[in-house]
Amino acid sequence: MPTFPNTARLSQPDHYRRVFDSPEYKVSSGAFLLLAIPGATQSSRLGVVVAKKNIRLAVRRNRIKRLVREQFRHHRFDGAIDLVVLARSGADKMDNPGLWQELDRLWRMLEQKVNS
């Protein structure tokens, strides 16, 4: 069984567009911006945007995507949300534990906003 199934992904451009056009929840830091809306499906879905303009090396972009997906697996929301995580240029300067802590903090902040 895949650890990050297709049902947990924002796969179509219009899925991303819905989140970008009218995000109901926003949480940000120097390294990340999280945008979310109430989900259109039964379960939460994740989209990750790591621009080559912000993070040049593919190895670093892929590392960030892996950590974001793993964080998503560990933090399930009560209701279904569609979430897009945008990595900023500061993200590739952080080590893995630093990224994990930053994402964990942002996830908790988002969870408070969604559940309030």
Side-chain angles (χ1 to χ4, degrees):
M1 182 176 131
T3 55
F4 191 64
N6 287 339
T7 57
R9 299 172 193 259
L10 291 177
S11 55
Q12 306 287 320
D14 52 313
H15 295 166
Y16 281 88
R17 199 170 301 114
R18 276 187 53 238
V19 178
F20 283 127
D21 287 348
S22 56
E24 200 167 306
Y25 311 106
K26 286 184 188 180
V27 179
S28 68
S29 70
F32 295 99
L33 171 64
L34 279 64
L35 304 172
I37 60 172
T41 61
Q42 307 267 322
S43 60
S44 294
R45 298 184 300 175
L46 172 71
V48 184
V49 178
V50 185
K52 194 186 290 188
K53 175 183 169 186
N54 292 337
I55 300 170
R56 301 293 306 163
L57 298 177
V59 173
R60 293 184 181 166
R61 288 195 305 273
N62 293 336
R63 174 179 67 104
I64 289 168
K65 288 185 222 175
R66 278 194 308 273
L67 285 168
V68 168
R69 285 193 299 259
E70 188 65 15
Q71 191 73 244
F72 182 75
R73 276 187 350 97
H74 286 305
H75 289 85
R76 290 294 180 190
F77 294 95
D78 292 340
I81 65 166
D82 287 349
L83 171 69
V84 174
V85 177
L86 291 101
R88 293 180 170 157
S89 55
D92 72 327
K93 312 259 186 306
M94 301 171 79
D95 60 354
N96 284 359
L99 277 171
W100 188 263
Q101 285 178 338
E102 184 72 9
L103 285 167
D104 191 52
R105 186 178 67 80
L106 290 171
W107 237 267
R108 292 180 198 283
M109 288 169 57
L110 181 64
E111 201 166 25
Q112 284 179 345
K113 284 188 175 190
V114 170
N115 294 335
S116 65

